[in-house]
Amino acid sequence: MSIYDSSAPTRRHFLRQLGFVTAAFTLHGAFAQQLGLPAVVPKGQRVFYVSHSLMWYVPQPLAEMAVAAGIRGHEVTGVQAIGASRTLQHWDKPEPNQAKQALLTGNVDVFVMSPIQFPDEGVENFVRLGLQHNPNMRFVVQLSWGGGDTDNQDFPRGAWENVDRNKTPEQLQRLYERNIQAGQAQADEINRKYGKNRRIMTLVPTAQALVVLRTKIFRKEMPGLNSQSELFVNPAHPSPPLEALNTYLHFAVLYGQSPIGLPVTDKLKKANRPAWDEKFARNLQEIAWQTAANYSYSGIHSH
């Protein structure tokens, strides 16, 4: 019986237990979605990206998702892109350094980074500078997969070699372990040093979601994808399904909202693969949401 059913005898009691006195209410974020209740549309964020090629495709489709989700005021304030870059390379970039200039204005709400290895000194440098000019800033860091099926702690060794993409679930589970753990350790340290009783840094579980997706492909549980190699266009770079998965992950972490039901990304539409339809996109959205919502470092339950 639905709690929206006016005939439900427990409806009024349920609402009172939640502290509401009428049925005209909303809840925010993941908690509302778990209960099947309407969620408050979050405020749009001003977002700056410092990125390598495993993330620099995210800003535009994510902005389109924000519009589709009814989020007003989402703004990409800039993208600083350097191929195969560590975040420290963005910090050390000679002037004009667009990332530093953006933080100096104080007009950035969320600063998104994609280190390769951890710890990355550039991450903390940007955190320190950003908080000096906007003490309410948030910082989001992508946990990237490794090129050539390597752990990014070893990058670039092995990154460009030809690899066997037909990994077993057991092999996949170990594939990015050290890099994930090192990223979590740096997030813990930065939140401890700069958080002042709030979590200022969260992580996008891109590597973990890729493991889930590849495991489903291995087990023949992902219609539309017959092999793990279809997720890549070369030893490192993503094909449209992996780009879409990562963009849905970023939306979930940035806004604490489920991407389920959002539009199919343009690259999926233009790939000329009939199987990559709305149902296929929804499967990717469900993987993204389940992975992010169940990952404590995503910060989703603290939105």
Side-chain angles (χ1 to χ4, degrees):
M1 183 176 292
S2 169
I3 63 168
Y4 290 108
D5 185 351
S6 60
S7 66
T10 59
R11 181 172 181 270
R12 186 177 300 277
H13 174 73
F14 177 82
L15 294 174
R16 285 175 175 170
Q17 288 298 310
L18 285 175
F20 299 100
V21 293
T22 73
F25 65 88
T26 56
L27 290 174
H28 182 61
F31 181 56
Q33 290 160 345
Q34 288 174 352
L35 293 174
L37 303 175
V40 170
V41 177
K43 178 183 177 182
Q45 299 294 290
R46 300 167 297 178
V47 190
F48 192 98
Y49 295 84
V50 291
S51 176
H52 50 57
S53 58
L54 302 191
M55 192 181 80
W56 64 34
Y57 51 84
V58 166
Q60 180 179 343
L62 194 153
E64 294 168 359
M65 290 175 192
V67 172
I71 296 170
R72 297 182 178 181
H74 177 91
E75 179 185 353
V76 178
T77 61
V79 179
Q80 184 165 286
I82 303 174
S85 59
R86 295 169 174 80
T87 302
L88 185 59
Q89 289 174 252
H90 289 272
W91 177 263
D92 289 338
K93 182 181 180 295
E95 295 297 340
N97 188 314
Q98 188 183 2
K100 288 182 180 178
Q101 290 173 357
L103 292 181
L104 289 172
T105 68
N107 295 324
V108 177
D109 300 311
V110 184
F111 193 79
V112 186
M113 296 170 272
S114 56
I116 295 177
Q117 298 163 332
F118 295 95
D120 186 318
E121 184 181 347
V123 172
E124 184 167 357
N125 290 344
F126 280 122
V127 168
R128 188 184 305 112
L129 178 64
L131 291 175
Q132 288 172 0
H133 299 276
N134 181 354
N136 297 315
M137 275 194 70
R138 292 166 49 208
F139 302 86
V140 173
V141 172
Q142 174 176 298
L143 295 172
S144 302
W145 65 88
D149 273 4
T150 60
D151 188 294
N152 268 336
Q153 294 300 99
D154 300 324
F155 184 86
R157 181 166 56 87
W160 315 119
E161 297 174 2
N162 291 323
V163 295
D164 176 15
R165 295 290 192 191
N166 191 34
K167 294 285 194 300
T168 67
E170 292 73 25
Q171 291 172 317
L172 290 167
Q173 196 63 39
R174 297 190 298 269
L175 194 53
Y176 312 119
E177 269 186 347
R178 290 182 293 116
N179 195 59
I180 291 169
Q181 291 170 359
Q184 291 174 173
Q186 184 167 24
D188 286 339
E189 179 65 10
I190 285 176
N191 282 318
R192 183 190 66 78
K193 289 177 66 174
Y194 302 98
K196 296 182 179 179
N197 300 318
R198 72 181 180 97
R199 178 178 289 183
I200 62 167
M201 177 174 290
T202 55
L203 303 177
V204 180
T206 302
Q208 297 97 312
L210 176 55
V211 167
V212 173
L213 177 55
R214 291 181 65 176
T215 299
K216 284 183 175 292
I217 296 170
F218 180 89
R219 292 174 173 164
K220 309 299 182 184
E221 296 173 351
M222 191 66 191
L225 290 169
N226 299 312
S227 68
Q228 296 172 46
S229 62
E230 291 180 85
L231 296 173
F232 306 92
V233 297
N234 57 34
H237 295 107
S239 68
L242 182 49
E243 286 191 3
L245 175 68
N246 196 27
T247 306
Y248 293 133
L249 282 163
H250 275 263
F251 176 87
V253 174
L254 180 62
Y255 283 114
Q257 301 284 302
S258 170
I260 296 172
L262 290 177
V264 179
T265 62
D266 279 346
K267 283 196 176 180
L268 278 178
K269 289 179 182 177
K270 296 175 180 177
N272 198 28
R273 293 279 295 269
W276 294 356
D277 56 11
E278 290 185 4
K279 184 176 180 180
F280 179 80
R282 185 180 179 90
N283 287 337
L284 294 175
Q285 292 164 358
E286 289 175 349
I287 292 171
W289 178 242
Q290 291 166 7
T291 304
N294 291 314
Y295 183 52
S296 62
Y297 285 85
S298 73
I300 283 176
H301 293 285
S302 62
H303 274 265

